[in-house]
Amino acid sequence: MPTDIVSNQSERAEPAIGFGPNRGGDFSQEDYHHPAAGWGAAISVSKVLISQGELINGTRAVFKMNHENGGYDCPGCAWPDDRKGLRMDICENGIKHATWEMSRKLVERDFFAAHTVKELTRWSDYALEAVGRLTEPMRYDSASDKYVPVSWEEAFELAGRHFRGLDNPNQAAFYTSGRLCNEATFLYQLFARELGTNNLPDCSNMCHEASGRALSAAIGTGKGTADLVDWEKTDCLIIMGVNAASNAPRMLTSLAEAYRRGAQIVHVNPLIEAASRNTIVPHEIASMMLFHPTRVGTLNIQPRIAGDMALMRGVAKHLLEAAETAPDAIDWRFIERFTAGFESYQTLLKNTSWEEIELQSGVQRAHIQALGEVYRQARSAIISWCLGVTQQEHAVDTIKEIINVLLMRGNIGREGAGPCPVRGHSNVQGNRTCGIDNRPDENWLARLDRACGIQSPREHGLDTVRVIPAMMRGDVKVFVGMGGNFVLAAPDPAYTFPAVQKCDLTIQVSTKLNRSHLIHGRDALILPCLGRTEKDHGSKGLQGITVEDSMSMVHLSYGMKNPCSPQLRSESAIIAGIAKASLPNTATPWEEYAADYNRIRDKMAEAIEGFEGFNRRVRQPLGFRLKQPARELVFLTDTGRANFSSSPLADAAPRQGRLLLGTMRSHDQWNTTIYSDDDRYRGVKNLRTLVFMNKDDMKDRDLEKYDLVDITSFAKDGSTRQVRGYRAIPYNLPRGSAMGYMPELNVLCPIGDYSAQSDQPLMKHVVVEIKPSNAAPAIEAADISVVSMSDRKTHLKPRPRTHSQ
């Protein structure tokens, strides 16, 4: 008999997904022709400041964000801070994110007394976050189906009782969102390992795991080697799978500066995004006043979804062919001195036909050669990439192919050159550096053990795609979510929701109410923490935290405003409180660490390579950069050299009648937080339940703009999932490719479909069929139903809006 995966843990468990504000009314989509950022961003920010009632604090935030000497690090993306004294090193989404956190609206005990969890599951996620900041610890009461107040001491004791009652430590899992600071990250992994588990799933398991694995194999480091100075010096930037205007808006400043000095800027993306055309950078007042945009792209290349590997193979083949008449097309001396495996790769290039490259990339040979020429003629080049590359089936091989292209011209270990993954959340790279890794190596664990006097487990732990089935099986009984919104960020909510609900205890450390508080274990705690913008007053005075940006710079951050509630605690203090209650025989000075982060940093200096002298170095102007051996042409690989990869070319062409779907964020969204139903840079107003399609793919299906469609995904195990009543939108996309928004379309991503290379969910590699629909239009809140293990079908059924949404 098939096993139903339906939520039956009390009547409350009706998993629903709600997203945007559900304003109702008219919707539209028109092509966007204005510059990225500029007045559109300024107007958008003004609306947010007014709606949140934060004109004064919000304006102060603009001048405190990303500044040393008492400033705070933007809680949004991980783009590096300006190093030249820029007065407003800001962006639209960073201000939105900070202001959203600074909301004057408070969620107090009266709110929870008035609403059952069952009722709240019917609210949209926009409505849940919009009620404001969490203000005191809350515990789930099953008798009333409500959250009720609990003291911090009672909360810690409840958590400790569950941890102490586990049959073995691997029945606990510790999830991390990318916003967690370095000090709290270190304490968090220390707690997990002192408890006895490496079950440390994190958001990187869903975004850049492929980058770390590919870079480690190719050049011996899991991080990029380029820094912001290299961006200022390079002749060529190739930006792959990145929507800079939304995902890393401060990159626009670097792109504009690069264009002005004559650099070539190539955008590689199935969609031509606003950030690939022109921009008006907000801090350039004269340009703003005169409406004078700057170009931020010189060439656009549109591969099909998952066609990036073939595209890079084509660039490499072009270099090899060009070298027959122009030997300097390849840096032969660099290859001989610093690399291994080029002969095999050279043979592979010769044996790969242009016809196959064109088929798999979806790009014509002439366009690939044009890109190859831009790259060949550049004295130095940086190749940068984001989730458009990493969330594919063959992402590790694709990134290795990127490294192959860089190695062929010696574009690593010198000024203006190198690989540069664009990390998403503000400290996601620091999380991994400071120990959030379910597969830590022996050297890292041994140094931690010596410094902290513990015995870490050596068995690999669970990552994100494996922790969810473990919860479903009952193997994980306690789940801690340190920030983020795990149940919405994860794939396959029809499976993930009931899996989480099988836990004995779920703990969510958060600033605002979200779906992960409503899809919970038998016991559940909501523990409210300080936001990045809030002052952290410890017993030793005002505390600073540290973060690491996507280019390995580590720097201090200080909150700028008083906490919204005296009940809030820092993430470090919360972790220390839970750990002390859970580890009765601990010798770790948890209370002392929570009281003085300098003590944590001193211990990190002992435990983590590269953090020696941490307290001193982080107080230097702009902080310090972690050493990258590959940047110095020291390659800590199995060969002691940079390794060429000779992986077979992946088959990226979809079958007849099917498309490859990629999920993405809208512009007015940050991860699972949605600010509105608009997507300004793609011209969308008041609509999220849509799918962007190639116009010829629409014509083949007899579809017109705004027609309703059903989207069915096909899992590797033969099961299907479906959303109904979405709107088809013609867009400039390659044939065979379609795009839509997450987290709505996460329902189409099967729990068991993840990359064999990176273990990442295939959020941008979903095989689908799209057909005309006779369903009612879908809205941003929906039920999940009809679920079984053997032939799983997931439907999203539209339902009437309620006043709370």
Side-chain angles (χ1 to χ4, degrees), residues 97-302:
H97 200 85
T99 307
W100 197 250
E101 180 181 280
M102 291 190 295
S103 173
R104 296 191 180 197
K105 302 174 184 177
L106 301 179
V107 185
E108 298 178 307
R109 59 179 62 186
D110 290 348
F111 172 86
F112 289 104
H115 302 288
T116 65
V117 170
K118 180 181 179 181
E119 177 190 347
L120 292 174
T121 61
R122 308 299 298 169
W123 289 30
S124 72
D125 290 88
Y126 175 89
L128 292 174
E129 291 204 29
V131 295
R133 287 289 301 277
L134 298 164
T135 57
E136 62 180 320
M138 305 297 292
R139 173 184 62 81
Y140 177 67
D141 176 62
S142 59
S144 63
D145 188 37
K146 294 179 179 180
Y147 276 98
V148 297
V150 64
S151 71
W152 280 107
E153 291 70 24
E154 290 169 333
F156 293 154
E157 175 51 34
L158 175 62
R161 187 164 65 248
H162 277 277
F163 278 111
R164 295 192 306 269
L166 295 175
D167 293 332
N168 71 74
N170 288 322
Q171 291 177 326
F174 298 81
Y175 175 76
T176 314
S177 163
R179 58 154 280 162
L180 194 65
C181 70
N182 289 328
E183 292 77 12
T185 296
F186 183 76
L187 292 190
Y188 197 46
Q189 63 83 33
L190 179 60
F191 172 29
R193 293 187 167 116
E194 187 171 345
L195 181 71
T197 185
N198 284 313
N199 286 349
L200 288 158
D202 71 335
C203 57
S204 189
N205 295 153
M206 295 186 278
C207 56
H208 268 288
E209 193 71 35
S211 297
R213 296 191 187 185
L215 289 167
S216 294
I219 61 174
T221 175
K223 304 176 184 181
T225 64
D227 64 12
L228 209 53
V229 174
D230 291 317
W231 279 66
E232 294 166 0
K233 302 289 187 179
T234 191
D235 292 331
C236 175
L237 288 162
I238 301 175
I239 315 295
M240 302 182 65
V242 181
N243 176 18
S246 298
N247 299 350
R250 288 185 294 147
M251 184 196 292
L252 293 173
T253 301
S254 296
L255 297 180
E257 291 175 351
Y259 180 79
R260 292 190 189 108
R261 69 170 184 272
Q264 295 295 302
I265 307 168
V266 183
H267 294 269
V268 177
N269 200 322
L271 303 94
I272 294 181
E273 301 279 18
S276 69
R277 296 189 290 264
N278 51 48
T279 187
I280 299 178
V281 181
H283 61 259
E284 296 177 348
I285 304 300
S287 294
M288 286 280 287
M289 299 306 295
L290 297 173
F291 294 88
H292 185 265
T294 300
R295 286 183 64 185
V296 286
T298 58
L299 179 65
N300 276 291
I301 301 291
Q302 292 180 268

Side-chain angles (χ1 to χ4, degrees), residues 18-23 51-52 100 105 123-132 488 512-515 668 672-677 780 804-805:
F19 302 101
N22 286 326
R23 295 172 300 182
S51 69
Q52 294 296 317
W100 197 250
K105 302 174 184 177
W123 289 30
S124 72
D125 290 88
Y126 175 89
L128 292 174
E129 291 204 29
V131 295
L488 279 197
K512 284 194 169 187
L513 193 64
N514 66 44
R515 186 67 48 187
D668 218 12
T672 58
T673 295
I674 297 166
Y675 304 114
S676 82
D677 288 343
E780 276 68 50
S804 300
Q805 297 159 1

Side-chain angles (χ1 to χ4, degrees), residues 444-687:
W444 205 97
L445 292 176
R447 184 162 176 162
L448 176 73
D449 290 353
R450 288 194 301 271
C452 298
I454 67 170
Q455 181 58 48
S456 299
R458 266 47 182 180
E459 177 186 1
H460 285 176
L462 300 172
D463 58 8
T464 296
V465 297
R466 290 176 176 83
V467 77
I468 299 169
M471 288 189 279
M472 180 65 81
R473 296 191 304 269
D475 293 340
V476 168
K477 299 183 181 299
V478 176
F479 178 82
V480 186
M482 189 59 60
N485 190 351
F486 178 78
V487 301
L488 279 197
D492 208 344
Y495 186 97
T496 296
F497 284 16
V500 171
Q501 289 172 327
K502 286 193 171 186
C503 290
D504 290 340
L505 172 68
T506 52
I507 302 172
Q508 298 292 337
V509 179
S510 311
T511 56
K512 284 194 169 187
L513 193 64
N514 66 44
R515 186 67 48 187
S516 293
H517 304 132
L518 311 180
I519 306 302
H520 58 71
R522 296 176 182 86
D523 279 337
L525 289 168
I526 300 174
L527 303 181
C529 66
L530 294 170
R532 184 73 62 78
T533 58
E534 290 172 318
K535 294 179 179 178
D536 185 350
H537 292 285
S539 60
K540 303 288 186 179
L542 184 64
Q543 305 239 53
I545 61 170
T546 65
V547 296
E548 178 187 347
D549 65 32
S550 64
M551 297 184 193
S552 302
M553 285 296 299
V554 180
H555 55 273
L556 277 165
S557 173
Y558 289 91
M560 57 164 277
K561 64 186 290 286
N562 289 325
C564 68
S565 165
Q567 285 265 43
L568 300 186
R569 294 196 181 185
S570 71
E571 291 147 320
S572 293
I574 293 170
I575 294 164
I578 297 174
K580 192 171 187 302
S582 303
L583 303 168
N585 299 316
T586 183
T588 301
W590 297 104
E591 292 177 338
E592 288 84 351
Y593 285 157
D596 184 0
Y597 299 168
N598 287 318
R599 292 199 60 175
I600 304 175
R601 287 189 282 268
D602 283 341
K603 186 57 64 175
M604 294 171 73
E606 295 180 51
I608 305 175
E609 183 177 1
F611 280 76
E612 296 81 3
F614 192 4
N615 269 312
R616 173 184 55 80
R617 294 166 66 206
V618 81
R619 287 175 168 83
Q620 297 173 155
L622 302 174
F624 66 94
R625 191 172 197 273
L626 292 170
K627 185 177 181 181
Q628 294 293 332
R631 185 177 171 86
E632 311 300 326
L633 298 177
V634 176
F635 300 108
L636 305 179
T637 63
D638 55 350
T639 63
R641 291 168 167 254
N643 290 323
F644 277 93
S645 170
S646 295
S647 301
L649 199 59
D651 185 0
R655 286 171 45 188
Q656 183 70 28
R658 294 189 176 176
L659 307 173
L660 285 181
L661 172 75
T663 67
M664 61 185 180
R665 299 191 309 221
S666 74
H667 177 67
D668 218 12
Q669 172 181 356
W670 184 253
N671 294 341
T672 58
T673 295
I674 297 166
Y675 304 114
S676 82
D677 288 343
D678 298 339
D679 187 358
R680 186 172 77 250
Y681 291 144
R682 300 184 184 107
V684 177
K685 294 183 178 179
N686 201 25
L687 183 65

Side-chain angles (χ1 to χ4, degrees), residues 66-99:
N66 302 319
H67 282 277
E68 55 178 329
N69 300 323
Y72 70 93
D73 190 74
C74 175
C77 79
W79 189 254
D81 294 348
D82 173 74
R83 302 180 62 82
K84 295 176 292 188
L86 187 64
R87 182 61 180 149
M88 291 194 297
D89 188 18
I90 57 172
C91 73
E92 173 187 355
N93 276 359
I95 296 171
K96 284 180 184 176
H97 200 85
T99 307

